[in-house]
Amino acid sequence: MSKDILDLAGIGIGPFNLSVAALLDRHPDLNVGFFDSKPAFDWHPGMQLPGARLQTSCLKDLVTSADPCNPWSFLNYLVQKRRIYPFLSADMATISRREFADYLGWVASHLPNLYFRHEVQSVTFEDGLFQLFFRHRPEPVYSRNLCIGTGIRAHIPKACQALPENKRIHCINLRNRDRDFTGQHVAIIGGGQSGAEVMLGLLDGLWGKPASIRWLSRRSNFEPLDETPFTNLYFTPGYVNTFHNLPEQRRRELVHDQKLASDGISPDTLQALYQRLYEYPFEEPQRPMPDLLPGRTLHAVSEGSPMTLLTHNSLDDQFEEFQAEQLILCTGFDQELASCLAPLEQKLHRDTKGHPRMKHSFNLNWDGPDNRAIYAVNQGRFSHGVADSQLSLMSWRSAIIVNHLLGEAHYPVEEQGIPVQWSSQAVGSRVQEEAKGKILPHAIESI
Ligand SMILES: Cc1cc2nc3c(=O)[nH]c(=O)nc-3n(C[C@H](O)[C@H](O)[C@H](O)COP(=O)(O)OP(=O)(O)OC[C@H]3O[C@@H](n4cnc5c(N)ncnc54)[C@H](O)[C@@H]3O)c2cc1C
């Protein structure tokens, strides 16, 4: 790596920062470096389960929607791997997660300026420059700007935090080691896509033959991802721009309301699971039927072997107890800025719930010079909406970041689209005032 000062230092090389790096590859005039603690690129290896598929179109790749001629597109990967004709004949709506991981790895293996085995331990800001300190590299790296792409952290529910780690495996680590749950009473906690995939894996005997399988979900049913066209508009630039301008409280409510747009179970997975359960008594006559337990909130887990799970059923308002020897947590992720940014904490602006405040160009609000930016990818669920943690707008976001870094509108980021008008049309206070006069007093309270 050049010893010069970088224009941009990326921390973390998951798909989101890889997308920024792929666009920047077309701008060799900029001096950039991306750093990751892993020995090589690897996309969620713990959840590369057989049969798992991407929940988004393969055109929502690292670059295409921002820069379709960029060589690091999924289509070019297929051409270079001599797989384009087999792909076209396969006529698939989605590709496998393994193929997408291979595509990402292919890009990572070709891009310059990616440095693995480089765990960033801390970042300071002095004399107008960010200074990155590493665990295994003695000399720091200096940069004018940062792009934080350190991903999100496995969420461990409070009730499970005191348990020994080998008794409560988070699904993100499931395949990182050989597991064998044969003869054990296993409980899956969490009813989203990961929970469904783990359930299928257990039914298929991926980790041996458990003595019993229970699947607990707080949601009132095993609910599908909403992939219908108008819901998909939440994953478009026009909606994200509108969302970003709303007040904090309203944004928080919308993220809650739009949960199933990003967090439900793929209809294909639900279908496969249901059919697998239907046929289970004939295919596995010696094994007990699994228990599916929706509407259950986990309140406490008592240590011991087996553990006792205390849950509350929201359907009939009753408490129940279940036994388990092994918990698999499919409990999602927490969005938190990486601990290496702790030295900058006093300079960062947070909202009332502690999330970083972020400007439209995905740069954090901070007490620093205007010509120094801290961009962050996958930290903007409450500032930019549910699309932020998904692949859908990854390349659009990268284009906005690169445009901001270049100081020019190099990539087109505005869209012409469907005539849904999210915001009220620009009306003066006259309409607001007259409306109040026309509406009955009791109705005004409900506005
Ligand atoms: C199993 C799974 C499947 C998913 N499937 C889809 C899908 O089909 N469609 C969709 O739209 N979204 C999907 N998502 C959501 C999202 O696209 C992925 O989570 C995506 O990997 C997020 O990318 P990222 O770059 O933010 O983080 P990550 O992929 O988590 O990468 C973060 C990187 O930062 C590195 N890092 C962290 N701290 C440091 C440090 N201090 N120093 C150096 N390196 C560091 C880590 O080693 C890691 O490589 C999925 C998520 C999961 C968990």
Side-chain angles (χ1 to χ4, degrees):
M1 187 187 3
S2 152
K3 290 223 181 302
D4 298 343
I5 295 165
L6 297 179
D7 294 304
L8 182 81
I11 307 180
I13 312 175
F16 292 174
N17 255 354
L18 190 62
S19 166
V20 177
L23 289 190
L24 284 171
D25 189 40
R26 309 259 271 181
H27 301 274
D29 42 317
L30 288 178
N31 191 10
V32 303
F34 288 78
F35 307 93
D36 198 291
S37 47
K38 287 182 182 158
F41 186 88
D42 213 352
W43 187 45
H44 294 321
M47 277 299 281
Q48 290 297 346
L49 305 180
R53 307 197 75 73
L54 213 59
Q55 286 190 297
T56 30
S57 155
C58 59
L59 290 181
K60 293 173 172 178
D61 63 10
L62 296 168
V63 293
T64 295
S65 64
D67 185 15
C69 300
N70 189 302
W72 306 120
S73 67
F74 180 72
L75 286 182
N76 192 39
Y77 156 83
L78 289 176
V79 172
Q80 299 304 322
K81 292 275 176 171
R82 309 291 184 261
R83 282 170 62 82
I84 186 77
Y85 294 107
F87 169 79
L88 293 172
S89 301
D91 195 21
M92 296 179 301
T94 57
I95 57 166
S96 71
R97 201 178 282 157
R98 281 182 173 165
E99 184 170 18
F100 198 70
D102 192 62
Y103 153 66
L104 296 172
W106 172 78
V107 176
S109 68
H110 285 83
L111 285 180
N113 307 323
L114 306 188
Y115 303 91
F116 292 95
R117 297 186 196 280
H118 272 70
E119 181 180 339
V120 180
Q121 281 207 303
S122 68
V123 183
T124 58
F125 185 76
E126 270 171 49
D127 301 329
L129 290 178
F130 294 102
Q131 212 173 344
L132 280 65
F133 296 93
F134 299 87
R135 182 191 282 269
H136 297 299
R137 172 194 162 116
E139 69 276 21
V141 163
Y142 297 89
S143 180
R144 295 185 182 85
N145 301 287
L146 292 180
C147 192
I148 313 300
T150 45
I152 43 189
R153 218 174 42 122
H155 173 75
I156 310 294
K158 273 209 180 77
C160 303
Q161 284 173 4
L163 298 173
E165 284 190 22
N166 64 341
K167 292 279 168 199
R168 42 102 165 153
I169 302 161
H170 194 278
C171 64
I172 203 68
N173 301 318
L174 204 49
R175 285 225 103 185
N176 289 344
R177 280 201 274 140
D178 288 339
R179 313 258 178 210
D180 187 0
F181 301 135
T182 299
Q184 296 191 37
H185 297 283
V186 177
I188 305 169
I189 313 292
Q193 177 69 21
S194 302
E197 288 178 11
V198 170
M199 182 71 186
L200 267 172
L202 286 174
L203 295 176
D204 288 347
L206 275 190
W207 305 285
K209 297 201 170 197
S212 71
I213 304 171
R214 292 202 165 94
W215 184 18
L216 290 82
S217 171
R218 190 167 47 185
R219 304 180 194 191
S220 57
N221 201 343
F222 299 99
E223 294 172 322
L225 182 73
D226 183 350
E227 300 177 291
T228 48
F230 288 93
T231 297
N232 279 343
L233 290 181
Y234 299 150
F235 301 85
T236 56
Y239 185 80
V240 173
N241 290 337
T242 308
F243 182 96
H244 183 256
N245 290 326
L246 296 173
E248 182 188 329
Q249 173 64 20
R250 187 72 193 113
R251 281 186 267 123
R252 199 178 309 289
E253 289 161 6
L254 287 171
V255 168
H256 180 262
D257 293 350
Q258 295 168 1
K259 189 169 178 60
L260 290 179
S262 64
D263 237 1
I265 305 173
S266 289
D268 286 352
T269 309
L270 280 177
Q271 184 97 13
L273 186 55
Y274 190 92
Q275 291 173 356
R276 187 81 180 78
L277 287 166
Y278 176 76
E279 286 163 358
Y280 201 71
F282 301 101
E283 296 198 352
E284 304 283 347
Q286 310 303 328
R287 296 172 68 189
M289 278 297 279
D291 287 333
L292 274 67
L293 301 157
R296 278 24 180 238
T297 301
L298 183 63
H299 280 280
V301 183
S302 69
E303 269 187 69
S305 200
M307 298 171 276
T308 303
L309 281 55
L310 176 68
T311 67
H312 178 259
N313 185 342
S314 58
L315 185 74
D316 52 18
D317 195 20
Q318 298 293 310
F319 283 94
E320 294 166 289
E321 282 187 346
F322 300 100
Q323 310 283 300
E325 291 165 300
Q326 179 67 59
L327 301 185
I328 304 178
L329 303 180
C330 301
T331 41
F333 300 89
D334 294 322
Q335 256 186 355
E336 266 173 30
L337 280 177
S339 58
C340 61
L341 295 177
L344 300 179
E345 182 55 44
Q346 296 304 318
K347 296 178 189 291
L348 303 179
H349 299 193
R350 304 259 180 187
D351 69 14
T352 56
K353 298 285 181 192
H355 302 293
R357 285 193 196 278
M358 215 185 283
K359 297 184 193 171
H360 175 259
S361 297
F362 298 93
N363 45 337
L364 303 183
N365 291 70
W366 77 300
D367 298 330
D370 286 345
N371 63 350
R372 296 290 183 263
I374 307 174
Y375 304 102
V377 293
N378 212 352
Q379 293 293 330
R381 197 170 171 80
F382 295 98
S383 58
H384 290 72
V386 292
D388 196 65
S389 48
Q390 303 285 306
L391 301 170
S392 299
L393 286 179
M394 161 170 76
S395 64
W396 172 76
R397 176 180 53 206
S398 303
I400 290 190
I401 291 173
V402 174
N403 281 354
H404 190 267
L405 189 65
L406 294 171
E408 64 181 43
H410 183 86
Y411 294 104
V413 291
E414 301 307 327
E415 63 165 354
Q416 299 281 326
I418 301 290
V420 175
Q421 296 185 12
W422 299 111
S423 301
S424 309
Q425 295 181 26
V427 287
S429 56
R430 181 187 63 79
V431 181
Q432 309 295 323
E433 288 310 311
E434 284 181 12
K436 284 180 190 159
K438 288 174 191 166
I439 297 174
L440 293 173
H442 77 270
I444 289 187
E445 283 165 24
S446 65
I447 291 177

